[in-house]
Amino acid sequence: MSWIEEISNPHARQWEEFYRNRWQHDRVVRSTHGVNCTGSCSWMIYVKDGIVTWELQAIDYPTLQPGIPPYEPRGCQRGISFSWYQYSPIRVKYPYMRGALLDLWRKAKEQHKDPVEAWTAVIENEAARKSFHQARGKGGFRRVKWDEALELIAASTIYTVKKYGPDRIIGFSPIPAMSMLSYAGGSRFMQLLGGVSMSFYDWYSDLPPASPETWGEQTDVAESADWYNAKFIASVGSNMSMTRTPDVHFAAEARHNGTKLVVFAPDFNQVAKYADWWVPVHAGQDGAFWMAVNHVIMNEFHYQNPTPYFLDYLRRYTDSPFLVELNEADGKYVPGRMIRAAQVERTRDVENGEWKFLVWDEISDAPRMPQGSLGFRWQKQKGQWNLEPKDGLDGSEIRPQLTFLGSAEQLSVSFAEFGENKSFQRNVPVRYIETVNGKIPVTTIYDLLMAQYGVGRGLEGDYPASYDDETLSYTPAWQERYTGIDRQTVIQFAREWATTAVKTEGKCMVIIGAGVNHWYHNNLIYRACIGTLLLTGCVGRNGGGLNHYVGQEKLAPMAPWASIAFALDWQKPPRQMNTPSFHYVNTDQWRYERTYTEPQPVSRPESERHCNMTQEHTLDAQIRAVRMGWLPSYPQFNVSSLEIVRRAEQAGAKSDAEIKQWIVNQLKSGELKFAVQDPDAPENWPRLWFIWRGNALNASAKGQEYFFKHYLGTHHQVIAEEVDKSHFHEVVYRDEAPEGKLDLVVDINFRMDTSALYSDIVLPAASWYEKDDLNTTDMHSFIHPLQMAVPPSWESKSDWDIFKILAGKVSELAQTYLPEPVRDLVAMPLQHDTSAEMAQAHIRDWAKGECEPIPGVTMPNFVVVERDYVNLGRRFISYGPKVPKEGFAVHGIHMEVGDLYQELVESRPTVSWNGKRYPSLEFARDAANVILHLAPETNGEVAYRAFKAEEERMGLKLIDLAEPTRASRLTFTEILRQPRRLLNSPIWTGIMTDGRPYAAYTLNVERFVPWRTLTGRQHFYLDHEGYLAYGEYLPTYKPRPDALAFGDLEKSRSEGKTIRLNYLTPHAKWHIHSNYFDNDRMLTLSRGIEPMWISEQDAKEIGIVDNDWVELYNDHGTTVTRAIVSARIPPGICIVYHAPERTVSTPKSPMRGNKRAGGHNSPTRIHLKPSLMVGGYGQFTYGFNYWGPTGVNRDTFVLIRKLPGKPEF
Amino acid sequence: MKIRSQTSMVFHLDKCIGCHTCSIACKNIWTDRQGAEYMWWNNVETKPGTGFPTQWEDQEKYKGGWELKNGKVELKLQNRLQTFANLFSNPAMPTMDDYYEPWTYKYGDLFNSPLGDDQPTARPISRIDGKPIDIEAGPNWDDDLGGSNIYAVNDPLLDTMSAEEKQRLFSIEQLFYFYMPRICNHCLNAGCVAACPSGAIYKRAEDGIVLINQDKCRGWRMCVSACPYKKTFYNWSTGKSEKCILCYPRLESGQAPACFHSCVGRIRYLGALLYDADQIEDAVKVPDDQLVQRQREMILDPHDPKVVAAAKENGIPDGVITAAQHSPVYRYVKEWELALPLHPEYRTLPMLFYVPPLLPVLNAVQQNGTQRVETDLFSSLENARVPVRYMSRTLAAGNDELVLKAYRKMIAVRLYKRAQTVGDVTVEEANAALAKAGMDAEEAEAIYHLTSLPSYQERFMIPPASREGDIEEIYDPQQRKAEAGFGRSQGARRGL
């Protein structure tokens, strides 16, 4: 073809230099993105002429085992658009202060030379305070000098410490793993000060409470490469294509290796598009499906055809053979507590006999006490905390019996069915055992499971006759009405799943996400899924497991990091608060919520103990949880935590023990109160809030308008009415709810997001290409650096440096105001992974006289801590003396590192003051090296010691897991060169030897390490008295609260054509939470806005077409956006992907006075599930981001109408 | 035989997750400039859908590609004589409405708004005139089947379907979509090259990359119309047209193009194909249903000693021949016949090939108000109701058999691996599937390996560039070593 010109002549092609020149660059630097995302992708940043021009993924990950696809490249559309931010017009380049505050401050400074006096003058003048509070979020920013901003912040800090106590200063920054030192800078400052570190994982509703319930573990999951090992993948409420973008290739590649992929989602989502099956289960009803799956599996693979692999797995690794007492109540039997060693003669005197549990042993044909339960963990004698099938008393081999089927004795037991609020009587085989209190009927948890799932096994009672029984739980036919899924699908799914599990010994996997975890009853849905995994031996196997990928972001080198982040190198304990409770209490959202009986049905005989706890207001439950040491609570008391020590001393208390006792007496007499008992009293308000690395006033502000109203005291859209005060019993109810509780809000940010826009002071943060840091994830097993590709741009500084400088400023002012060390009383809840897990065998409330108030046992513990404000700045940059002295303790494993600390002193930068020399933490890179040098995951010697310690506790050999890598040492320089894989560590549960993909709990299954639970096994059964009362002791199904249960729509009215829909906010394709949302690359590739997805049917009903403007509203707030009308969405729901900013393209809301419409959180309010507040009992014992109620938000309803007229900006 | 080497590409659509990382990789490096804002040399479309620019496949409107008329192949736009006659009138040119009006936001208002009675917000403004804009189109507007009843229904490919076929497609419409990333196809019979009145567009002899000479381009925009894929774009700032350059500066230094490198779904493959350029003329003249087969015939076996000898004769360097022998593209396109060209009926001989998406998902069957999924372990082709017709319209000029063959193979590989790794599919069943697909176990293993396990190096077999040879024609390489980079570069601008 003559007209196709082909040119080889270089002379004719010299112009090609045109594009070659663009490609030229000066430097390529490895870094990553510290966004709140589990990606942890290694990126190469291209720098040209001192400017970051673009980024591309690193492609030098070491490969894992042969036969596993490589990790490269990792990084998604969001990450690759980051460089846009670097020099964009939304970049915060300088410090800013709201003009209204700046004027007040400058005027006060003219009158008061001393900054603390000046701040006092501003903040104690009610009119002045109100004037700048009301200006929040309304523009009027002015550029200020760093020194001026820092002086004000330091003055406010000192003022608050002096006036109210340091526990009125709070710091919020999400998930540390992705930029752990940037997190640690702020939290270290906060903890040296005595301030409060706010949790995030539970607040985001990313914590799956079912994980602590089942495994005693916050979360532990497989790295994504292990998906490739799975032969059957069920994706449940998860959209990997969208949210796990760099990982999803493993799922696609597994499919071509013969793996089946089944997707459960109400909408035809992006991952459903290439699934083998898409199961369009109704939103939030997955639990019913899985309950029925378990019915089929137990019937066919346990009862009809007992599968040795499954039964053996249950016997060894789960609580299913453990014995449960059947209690008679109102003439019916109900399952009660597990049988404890102390209850029978043979073991009544063993140490911790209340915390060792019994099985029926087939060999001796008698009750026996297997090793490995909680009592063995915390007893004096080491070496019995393991899963070997041995009796803990005499070491004889045992074979726990799973079922008493065939026993002559049976009892008719009540089982609740919450779907229809019924209960069924089903016979269960029992044995009678002799206890110190006489003969009692017991059965196994396995037998209870059979009965609960409705597998009759020839027993009498309300057992379904077939899968087609629609009325008796939990048959395939029963679930149809909830899920909309045909019974045959359940049956076929169960058979394929179980068959695959048998043939592969456990390579069936659940990938589960926020689509499930954000519902009110998420823990029950999860437990239904987990049940399937356990019944088929799929946990602790490569290619198996429950893989929950929701904001987990494993911080791998936990031990040394925690010592830096929470200043444990200087003092313990830290103040760590569970944020869901904090915001529920302090934003006054409780004032708008009724007593919670409606969404949380219980079905137990009236006479059961503690039924009253199921009939109270959530705030009253919260107060009890604080009082009993179940949950933390800061601010602590209605008196400053510094003042209280002074008062105790004035009253004659000399020792710490006496101070403690004085406080107990004060609490008992009612002289002293927990702040949570009267949250609206001015002395109990939080006062000063630092926000960094996060978007606390938008992306995660559930009940955003309540934040604006009660925290900020600025405009808001709440029209909800407060409920009648008769709903409350324990709380001091103040008739008028305060507005504007927070004196000062400081935001540290590189972009002007919604939180920045509403803060009083915005400090310019270095971006992710401008600082050094460390980054890890659970999605893979490498550790990555963030690295300074260019220096912090304009006047920005790294988070680490900002807090370091601020610490110095506070120390300067302290010379006048807090010149001497002061003593601070820290109240802390009973802690998981300590012997406090054995504190409360029963619920006994000291305030009701049911027991004595004993700190650390029946109530919070109280610890006196010394604060040295004058040396706060020095302490910040010095790695303190408690580390060489005390070592680390994580998950109950103790590690000595004194010699390694000394190595740091000798070989790394140090700082010296007061005649002592410390490893330097002056620069983030120094801190990174300290972490790498002391973590078992990055230093083979520490791993060796940790395994050694674990061996001693367990009495089994583990050290072979650490020996081959004992000499391994990582440094920051080395991880700059190439991603490095983490080492085996007993702090985690996956074995990674020789490139094996990390899968959770393989260490437990293969090496007999107990789970950190009551029995040391994986729990189906939860016998805490609260769980018994709430009817959640067995895996069960509870229906979704109905549309009106939470009172979203009591005052809102239909206007014109309006539709009521369930409002869902799943994770987005074009942003990671609010990060990248405002990036014009992402906005261009989407619709220029975060739209609302609606079905064709619902759209038609209110007369809207694609791209029309719509207004969503309820009593809490409004959102105005555009509609995407799509057949991909089922009727009844609308989706606004999480989390757009109000800063971009947000019109006014005609429904609410033509004021700026809200964000995705505007129509939400928090609902805490009170059963998740229990504590002091095995795995139900508090840990930061480990336990507590979560910030669920899926059960929200809104009204939607077409926006009248044109949008106004 | 006139043997040439073409750097060619395969996109495995079954692995594509529609994330657009590729699009941004490209945009960051090449089209983030004034005049280029709206260009997406690499874009990703949700299909069925209208694509970017809107309805680009509607050649009745845009007149792209070639037509077979009376045994002759002519540009649909106009023949050569007409090109000159119509230089100043090109009615088939896409307008801004067919692309979109690029926009940004008044972010500065967040910093600069004075204290008011409400919260400031950054409202959208046009990047063309800076005025507030009502956003009604974008380069990825119907992403994930957004508004399927307005957009997907306007997919030009549905026009040729029978009523029954349409019915079938619409009945599963809500359950059927896939992503199609698109870059320049670096065609052998490129419409853009032929249409350029200035002779500014050419194929590089050594790798077949199609480039628009920025010195010679006069901005006539005939290439914009003549490219049926709408992958040349007019830069309104420099007054010249631009298009995907397959990142030749990266290829020349042994790196995959940025969009390939960044593909996180790992769907992309790149490698050399040796073809016989003498066959081009004949290859574009065969009837539609033979186009793919004819194109495959032009592609030569790089292991055949005769081909190797002829390639050397034609001046193809040894290193390129070796690369061609290891080309993953050759395996997908020629050996396995899994990958197919996009709209071969445009007769441009595109050199980017797509493995059709498996789309195994089955429609849920309504039954008494509940929904049931099909009963196969994996979807059988019959039950999957893959819209084969739609796929064959897209990738095989309507020849269903070519698409079916690819699907049979992919399904057979899955069954074969299932039998091997689990065993609930029997060896007999797996063998039957292999036989039906016309393949053996060895081929199944090879397909599996290259689909699931390939390393970066296996996906991208980049032919070595011998730059020193070309440079030597102009400068002494020793001198180039010493002098390269000195001098001042200046930005692109109108009249360059």
Side-chain angles (χ1 to χ4, degrees), chain B residues 108-124:
Chain B
D109 285 357
L110 302 173
F111 295 86
N112 304 328
S113 292
L115 180 62
D117 65 351
D118 202 357
Q119 180 216 299
T121 196
R123 65 179 304 182

Side-chain angles (χ1 to χ4, degrees), chain B residues 442-495:
Chain B
E442 195 185 341
E443 184 175 329
E445 282 290 354
I447 291 173
Y448 154 69
H449 182 94
L450 206 53
T451 306
S452 290
L453 295 176
S455 65
Y456 190 85
Q457 289 72 20
E458 286 171 302
R459 290 190 284 131
F460 309 131
M461 183 55 65
I462 297 163
S466 304
R467 288 289 302 143
E468 72 290 350
D470 280 0
I471 285 167
E472 200 165 32
E473 299 277 321
I474 302 169
Y475 324 91
D476 173 5
Q478 182 77 5
Q479 182 194 351
R480 187 70 176 155
K481 171 184 179 295
E483 294 179 356
F486 284 106
R488 293 168 64 188
S489 65
Q490 60 181 50
R493 57 174 197 277
R494 190 171 277 272

Side-chain angles (χ1 to χ4, degrees), chain A residues 706-835:
Chain A
Y706 299 89
F707 277 63
F708 286 8
K709 183 176 181 185
H710 297 291
Y711 274 173
L712 301 185
T714 186
H715 56 241
H716 63 84
Q717 298 175 342
V718 177
I719 61 160
E721 270 177 13
E722 299 181 24
V723 301
D724 188 273
K725 67 179 173 188
S726 65
H727 283 273
F728 311 101
H729 299 290
E730 303 228 6
V731 68
V732 176
Y733 186 89
R734 289 172 184 259
D735 287 335
E736 200 158 333
E739 297 187 11
K741 287 180 173 180
L742 288 162
D743 287 350
L744 186 70
V745 182
V746 178
D747 190 70
I748 294 166
N749 218 321
F750 62 76
R751 62 191 181 102
M752 185 56 82
D753 67 7
T754 305
S755 292
L757 195 71
Y758 278 82
S759 294
D760 301 308
I761 295 176
V762 186
L763 299 176
S767 82
W768 303 322
Y769 298 162
E770 299 167 352
K771 63 184 179 185
D772 295 332
D773 210 322
L774 291 172
N775 168 293
T776 56
T777 178
D778 52 3
M779 301 306 311
H780 62 62
S781 43
F782 302 99
I783 184 161
H784 292 321
L786 281 81
Q787 191 186 177
M788 216 186 285
V790 291
S793 299
W794 289 284
E795 291 187 9
S796 67
K797 298 179 195 296
S798 71
D799 306 69
W800 184 267
D801 285 347
I802 290 171
F803 283 107
K804 175 177 75 185
I805 296 165
L806 187 56
K809 281 269 175 202
V810 167
S811 285
E812 271 175 39
L813 293 182
Q815 285 172 353
T816 310
Y817 287 91
L818 291 153
E820 298 299 324
V822 289
R823 294 175 18 109
D824 181 14
L825 185 103
V826 179
M828 65 176 317
L830 305 168
Q831 293 283 316
H832 184 42
D833 291 323
T834 71
S835 59

Side-chain angles (χ1 to χ4, degrees), chain A residues 3 13 16 270 278 492 1125, chain B residues 66 144 147 175 206 248 375:
Chain A
W3 54 68
R13 288 168 40 182
E16 286 178 13
Q270 289 75 3
W278 167 47
Q492 197 191 340
V1125 180
Chain B
W66 304 86
D144 293 338
L175 302 152
E206 70 273 28
Y248 66 81
T375 51

Side-chain angles (χ1 to χ4, degrees), chain A residues 214-251:
Chain A
T214 307
W215 293 298
E217 187 75 65
Q218 179 199 49
T219 302
D220 206 348
V221 299
E223 64 179 302
S224 57
D226 200 49
W227 302 356
Y228 195 74
N229 283 321
K231 300 314 300 184
F232 201 102
I233 300 176
S235 166
V236 187
S238 177
N239 190 344
M240 299 105 83
S241 298
M242 235 149 96
T243 61
R244 298 281 30 97
T245 310
D247 304 289
V248 73
H249 68 88
F250 287 115

